[in-house]
Amino acid sequence: MLEIKNLTVEVGGKEILHDLSLSVKAGYTTVLFGPNGSGKSTLLMTIMGFSEYKVKNGSILLNGEDITHMPVNERAKRGIGMMMQRPPNLTGVRLKDLVRIAGKGEVDPAVLAEGLDMTRFLERDVNVGFSGGEIKRSEILQLEAQKPCLLLLDEPESGVDMVSIEKLGLKVHDILQGQSHCAGWREKSGKAALIITHTGQILDYVEGDRGYVMCDGTVACSGNPRELLAEIRKMGYNECIRCKLKRPNVVENL
Amino acid sequence: MVTDEENRAKGALKKAAKFGEDIDLDEYDEGSRELSTSGSFEDLSKDTQRTMLDTGIMPTAQGKSGNFLLMDNTVVHSATMGTGVELMPLSQAMKVHDWLKDYVWKAVQPDTDKYTAETYLEKADGYFIRALPGAKVQLPVQTCLLLKNRNTKQFVHNVLIAEEGSEFEVVTGCATSKGVEKGLHMGISEFFLKKDSKLTFTMIHNWSEFIGVRPRTIVQMDEGAAYINNYVALKPVKTIQMYPTANMNGKNGVCRFSSVAVAHPGSVMDLGSRAILNAPGCRAELISRTITTGGTVIARGQLIGNAPGIKAHLECKGLILNDKGVQIAIPELEARVPDVEMTHEAAVGKIAQDQVEYLMSRGLSEEEAVGMIVRGFLDVGIRGIPEHLKAEIDKTLQETDVRGM
């Protein structure tokens, strides 16, 4: 389980997240909504630990352990895995090799790739010349090898074609339901996910347990993700901003 | 009778090269021309075989069209196994082929600098390789140049002729025997690629931190000729300066130079490649990937477009993995007619942190992530390398110390 308390984060000297608190329970699929620029991706990048995202205040606890200033790979070791929105190109690094290493040599990249229709990408350099949808599939392929216990998915469905979206959605479902190997995660509680989505399409494949709406770098409101989505579809984000004014301490209501 | 050529060479004995530290040739002893010879690669000492292996040269006649070994200044072994190709010491070839005088010292000028001048005046030996007209030689020719004794200056003169329509592959490994704490290699190579011939030439350098290296290579290309040059230098060297040049004189020629090099602490590597596109329809690609872990590397490249309808690209990319390392990229484009397409791309710097962290987010340690990115970076430069050499080079790459951060 992940516990974020009063997190303030700067990127390039500019404060993006302000005093943000939320939690992801073990076994819970948590969904993040919010307008463009509200800080959703920043939150995920900060949880993963990318150094450009500087925590100025607050803390990130994973299973009770403070990981706020821990190196990225230590977080990965503790079971966090991320699908990035715009991962960097790795010229000269073949996808096949990265999948094998992410799976600690215990997976067969060819078998995993087949399930995502990614076989022809295995010999290619990671992300180089990949389309938006191909990047998503490549990221999921890597995550499937990595077997994380807390998945951070940044818009998993965006840019993915109608046929691939089903494969990808089911794969996310499988990863979430699959066996957990991470220390500190109780088997029975299962894995957890924090998923950014605008369209909610991913919710056709994984059941969302809890939803948060972010506005201006902090959590505005929380609730049932389907209800939140319906409300956003109907009213836009305005209703949520109002709800933030009414209920500033949403985390308390969990 | 003293020829004009000889006079010019004598006049150039003190002439410093255009690039690179000026080496005092008098500091070195002339390498022996009388080392004992060997009937086969298999008969060489285990030590020598191991040294050769490190440069991609298999100490066996099996699967090869020819084997050649020069130690210091002695041709220790020369044998042709396959058909369609001739391999022998240049000195012998001069006796066998009267016409060879029309090639020798016709591509490289003896008075280019002191290194060419001395090699000329010393009547240096080296390999003569010729692919016969139309021959498609399947198995590679291996040549190995070894520095065997301390304080030796090795001079080498190689001539290679790809006759019309021939196709073949040459691998050259250059190395220094263990314990040789000072040495100098001067190597003149004159390659002639006739109409529609194709040569894949791979050179692997494995000198040592005590050795100075001054190769001088000119490739003359006729119509439709294809020249693929791979250069790999992953081990330390004291100082190396070279600028192999392809003169593309016939239309529709193709050449590609790919170089990968690692400048270790103390190494100064001045590496270039040049293509002069003199005929319509020629295409050239010069690619270099260099890394410094503390040494200096100068990556030069020059494309000269003298004919319409040519297309050429030049790429120098360098990584600095250590505070003391220096990367200098000098790409040059020169166009003398309007209808040309010439581009270049140069970049030097450190490894991108977002790439490192991306890999770390998949569970790799920082060191593993850096290693993977660096090897990937170099890998781009050796993708054209023949399959049979890949395993050996990959192994060396894995062992190459890329920690520097």
Side-chain angles (χ1 to χ4, degrees):
Chain A
M1 80 201 46
L2 182 76
E3 191 80 43
I4 293 172
K5 289 182 195 160
N6 307 108
L7 198 66
T8 296
V9 173
E10 257 183 34
V11 182
K14 192 173 170 229
E15 197 174 295
I16 307 288
L17 301 182
H18 325 282
D19 199 27
L20 180 147
S21 299
L22 64 75
S23 71
V24 179
K25 286 189 192 173
Y28 269 56
T29 296
T30 306
V31 187
L32 269 182
F33 302 103
N36 293 331
S38 58
K40 303 182 298 299
S41 295
T42 297
L43 175 61
L44 261 50
M45 296 296 275
T46 308
I47 296 170
M48 194 68 241
F50 288 94
S51 58
E52 215 188 314
Y53 300 78
K54 300 208 181 337
V55 176
K56 289 293 163 186
N57 198 19
S59 60
I60 306 170
L61 302 179
L62 183 71
N63 294 317
E65 184 184 13
D66 189 339
I67 62 162
T68 316
H69 300 288
M70 205 173 256
V72 182
N73 59 319
E74 290 298 325
R75 301 181 200 219
K77 258 188 217 163
R78 282 162 177 74
I80 306 183
M82 178 165 180
M83 170 198 272
M84 279 172 75
Q85 178 78 281
R86 281 183 214 88
N89 287 353
L90 296 180
T91 306
V93 177
R94 288 182 173 85
L95 182 59
K96 176 184 71 184
D97 296 325
L98 181 51
V99 170
R100 190 182 299 118
I101 289 179
K104 295 173 189 64
E106 292 161 8
V107 300
D108 183 347
V111 172
L112 295 189
E114 218 181 314
L116 278 161
D117 201 12
M118 286 293 282
T119 306
R120 65 188 188 283
F121 292 87
L122 285 177
E123 294 296 330
R124 286 186 43 186
D125 292 354
V126 179
N127 300 328
V128 178
F130 286 20
S131 72
E134 288 158 3
I135 283 180
K136 303 293 175 188
R137 277 147 64 201
S138 151
E139 292 281 287
I140 279 294
L141 178 63
Q142 293 169 47
L143 284 176
E144 197 184 5
Q146 197 180 346
K147 299 191 190 73
C149 296
L150 171 61
L151 276 87
L152 309 174
L153 307 180
D154 196 343
E155 292 188 39
E157 70 273 73
S158 79
V160 180
D161 64 67
M162 297 299 277
V163 180
S164 302
I165 205 160
E166 178 161 353
K167 277 190 181 146
L168 193 132
L170 292 172
K171 198 57 89 176
V172 173
H173 177 267
D174 290 351
I175 296 172
L176 277 169
Q177 299 300 316
Q179 268 205 323
S180 162
H181 301 281
C182 310
W185 298 82
R186 279 173 303 148
E187 198 86 355
K188 65 179 166 86
S189 320
K191 301 183 184 182
L194 188 53
I195 304 176
I196 297 178
T197 180
H198 285 291
T199 63
Q201 268 177 297
I202 190 72
L203 299 178
D204 294 344
Y205 306 95
V206 291
E207 197 54 56
D209 299 302
R210 179 137 205 107
Y212 288 97
V213 181
M214 283 183 65
C215 279
D216 291 333
T218 197
V219 170
C221 51
S222 66
N224 177 294
R226 287 199 178 275
E227 286 170 15
L228 285 173
L229 187 64
E231 195 178 287
I232 293 165
R233 281 204 177 122
K234 212 167 93 196
M235 323 275 288
Y237 289 105
N238 290 339
E239 192 59 25
C240 248
I241 296 165
R242 263 209 296 283
C243 104
K244 178 190 171 190
L245 297 173
K246 275 188 277 179
R247 297 186 300 157
N249 286 321
V250 281
V251 184
E252 319 273 282
N253 301 333
L254 278 171
Chain B
M1 189 187 79
V2 178
T3 64
D4 174 52
E5 228 173 38
E6 232 173 297
N7 274 331
R8 282 194 289 134
K10 278 181 181 155
L13 269 173
K14 297 282 172 205
K15 183 179 169 187
K18 191 173 174 194
F19 301 117
E21 172 201 348
D22 191 34
I23 297 172
D24 182 359
L25 301 180
D26 297 335
E27 273 185 27
Y28 299 84
D29 308 323
E30 188 185 321
S32 171
R33 299 192 194 216
E34 279 153 6
L35 298 178
S36 55
T37 58
S38 173
S40 75
F41 272 10
E42 283 90 342
D43 293 340
L44 296 163
S45 77
K46 288 282 167 255
D47 270 356
T48 302
Q49 290 190 2
R50 209 167 302 123
T51 308
M52 291 164 69
L53 255 177
D54 283 343
T55 66
I57 302 295
M58 300 296 157
T60 172
Q62 248 171 11
K64 309 297 167 193
S65 283
N67 278 341
F68 179 92
L69 171 63
L70 184 88
M71 266 189 207
D72 292 344
N73 289 328
T74 308
V75 176
V76 167
H77 177 72
S78 177
T80 312
M81 283 80 76
T83 52
V85 65
E86 274 184 80
L87 166 65
M88 63 184 94
L90 182 63
S91 55
Q92 188 188 332
M94 296 283 282
K95 291 173 197 153
V96 176
H97 297 303
D98 190 39
W99 47 261
L100 192 52
K101 62 180 187 306
D102 296 333
Y103 294 85
V104 170
W105 290 110
K106 293 298 179 280
V108 175
Q109 294 306 307
D111 60 351
T112 305
D113 56 36
K114 68 204 303 188
Y115 313 108
T116 59
E118 173 134 338
T119 307
Y120 175 88
L121 292 168
E122 292 291 347
K123 297 188 168 35
D125 211 350
Y127 59 72
F128 167 76
I129 305 175
R130 175 172 173 243
L132 301 180
K136 311 284 185 226
V137 184
Q138 299 293 329
L139 303 171
V141 173
Q142 303 191 108
T143 70
C144 185
L145 312 174
L146 281 186
L147 266 172
K148 189 70 182 161
N149 291 295
R150 195 182 183 280
N151 211 40
T152 293
K153 56 181 163 187
Q154 176 179 62
F155 23 75
V156 188
H157 186 191
N158 306 313
V159 174
L160 184 153
I161 299 171
E163 295 287 3
E164 191 170 324
S166 65
E167 277 180 27
F168 71 131
E169 185 202 330
V170 174
V171 182
T172 290
C174 299
T176 309
S177 292
K178 269 210 182 76
V180 176
E181 285 170 7
K182 190 176 179 183
L184 174 66
H185 165 90
M186 296 171 264
I188 309 307
S189 297
E190 303 184 274
F191 294 179
F192 301 88
L193 274 62
K194 303 289 184 62
K195 187 167 181 277
D196 297 327
S197 64
K198 181 179 178 185
L199 170 65
T200 303
F201 181 80
T202 303
M203 183 156 76
I204 301 174
H205 273 176
N206 190 7
W207 302 107
S208 79
E209 60 269 45
F210 309 109
I211 309 299
V213 184
R214 293 293 183 265
R216 299 291 179 255
T217 301
I218 305 274
V219 184
Q220 302 285 24
M221 297 171 63
D222 291 349
E223 182 182 337
Y227 179 65
I228 314 296
N229 185 95
N230 299 301
Y231 175 63
V232 179
L234 303 174
K235 300 289 180 66
V237 64
K238 182 170 183 260
T239 158
I240 178 164
Q241 186 273 315
M242 61 185 210
Y243 212 146
T245 297
N247 289 312
M248 309 178 75
N249 299 323
K251 62 181 182 189
N252 299 327
V254 177
C255 87
R256 188 174 79 220
F257 284 85
S258 305
S259 310
V260 297
V262 178
H264 296 264
S267 294
V268 178
M269 309 178 92
D270 187 330
L271 306 170
S273 45
R274 183 188 288 120
I276 305 174
L277 299 94
N278 290 322
C282 281
R283 283 177 294 141
E285 191 176 31
L286 316 178
I287 293 185
S288 85
R289 290 284 185 280
T290 54
I291 284 180
T292 167
T293 60
T296 297
V297 48
I298 306 168
R300 298 180 199 275
Q302 190 181 31
L303 291 169
I304 302 176
N306 290 328
I310 60 127
K311 195 172 171 180
H313 179 64
L314 161 56
E315 205 175 292
C316 319
K317 292 194 177 171
L319 281 180
I320 308 179
L321 299 183
N322 181 292
D323 286 349
K324 296 196 173 66
V326 179
Q327 278 276 3
I328 304 170
I330 311 176
E332 285 180 64
L333 303 181
E334 194 176 314
R336 298 187 172 277
V337 287
D339 179 23
V340 299
E341 189 181 330
M342 293 159 77
T343 52
H344 83 71
E345 197 182 338
V348 296
K350 63 174 183 180
I351 293 182
Q353 188 63 17
D354 63 336
Q355 293 182 15
V356 176
E357 289 179 354
Y358 179 56
L359 288 179
M360 288 169 75
S361 79
R362 300 285 176 239
L364 280 76
S365 69
E366 183 170 4
E367 196 171 314
E368 288 167 339
V370 167
M372 195 168 191
I373 291 164
V374 168
R375 279 187 281 277
F377 172 83
L378 291 179
D379 187 57
V380 174
I382 55 169
R383 284 202 171 156
I385 246 164
E387 275 305 318
H388 64 97
L389 289 170
K390 273 245 166 81
E392 196 59 37
I393 292 169
D394 281 345
K395 199 176 122 233
T396 312
L397 259 182
Q398 295 293 335
E399 291 162 359
T400 303
D401 186 359
V402 294
R403 285 167 307 169
M405 300 192 86

